Amino acid sequence: MSDLTHLYQEIILDHCKRPRNLRQIPDADRRAEGDNPLCGDTITLYLDLAEGRVADVAFQGSGCAISTASASLLTEAVRGRTVEEAREMVAAFRELLTRGGAAESAEERLGKPAVLAGVREYPMRVKCATLAWHTLLAALEEREQPVTTE
């Protein structure tokens, strides 16, 4: 195993064991729910927006290590971003996990969440990794229907 792969695994495990922003935002501007029935992952994502930016973001739910780490990494990555930048990050993350994308380009566009790129080698786990990102997009678009990976 390469040193880089080992580092990425450590980051994922750290975000799984100690998820960042695992909390509710009681008066959130936007909220969306997501479900991955195949794995049993569930998420509620909360957003507070101010002047077109993500002022605060948090999540609650339960899921596998990949799902939890992805949600945690997402919250750190999108805080402070404009709504458009957050949408672009969702598209970049989906591209990274489904089409591969250029590693350097993904790293630049995504930052830390790019550590989940290796998940694309396990097609059944891609839905676990992308659930939070689909749910973020639903919150940004103010969709009322829960997101599902099915």
Side-chain angles (χ1 to χ4, degrees):
M1 175 184 320
S2 77
D3 288 342
L4 190 57
T5 301
H6 184 71
L7 173 64
Y8 286 178
Q9 287 179 346
E10 284 184 24
I11 292 169
I12 292 167
L13 286 172
D14 180 48
H15 277 267
C16 172
K17 291 178 182 176
R18 288 178 289 284
R20 282 45 158 202
N21 304 300
L22 179 62
R23 60 186 166 80
Q24 183 178 11
I25 301 175
D27 298 322
D29 295 326
R30 303 208 183 150
R31 171 190 158 147
E33 295 180 12
D35 177 43
N36 176 2
L38 218 70
C39 192
D41 305 325
T42 61
I43 184 171
T44 302
L45 192 95
Y46 305 92
L47 286 178
D48 264 342
L49 303 175
E51 299 178 14
R53 291 190 176 275
V54 178
D56 197 9
V57 57
F59 76 101
Q60 287 186 309
S62 62
C64 67
I66 297 294
S67 178
T68 301
S70 184
S72 176
L73 287 158
L74 173 150
T75 63
E76 287 191 324
V78 300
R79 179 177 281 114
R81 304 281 184 151
T82 66
V83 169
E84 189 53 39
E85 288 170 333
R87 286 176 203 251
E88 289 169 5
M89 289 183 81
V90 171
F93 190 79
R94 286 179 16 195
E95 178 182 327
L96 179 69
L97 264 61
T98 59
R99 289 181 234 141
E104 296 85 27
S105 173
E107 185 75 37
E108 285 177 24
R109 291 163 49 199
L110 291 169
K112 244 189 206 180
V115 302
L116 290 162
V119 171
R120 76 174 162 260
E121 295 177 29
Y122 306 94
M124 293 299 293
R125 303 311 301 257
V126 169
K127 291 179 180 186
C128 302
T130 58
L131 177 63
W133 296 83
H134 289 294
T135 308
L136 170 62
L137 189 59
L140 291 170
E141 295 175 352
E142 299 184 83
R143 287 190 242 147
E144 293 185 20
Q145 290 296 106
V147 172
T148 183
T149 57
E150 288 305 302

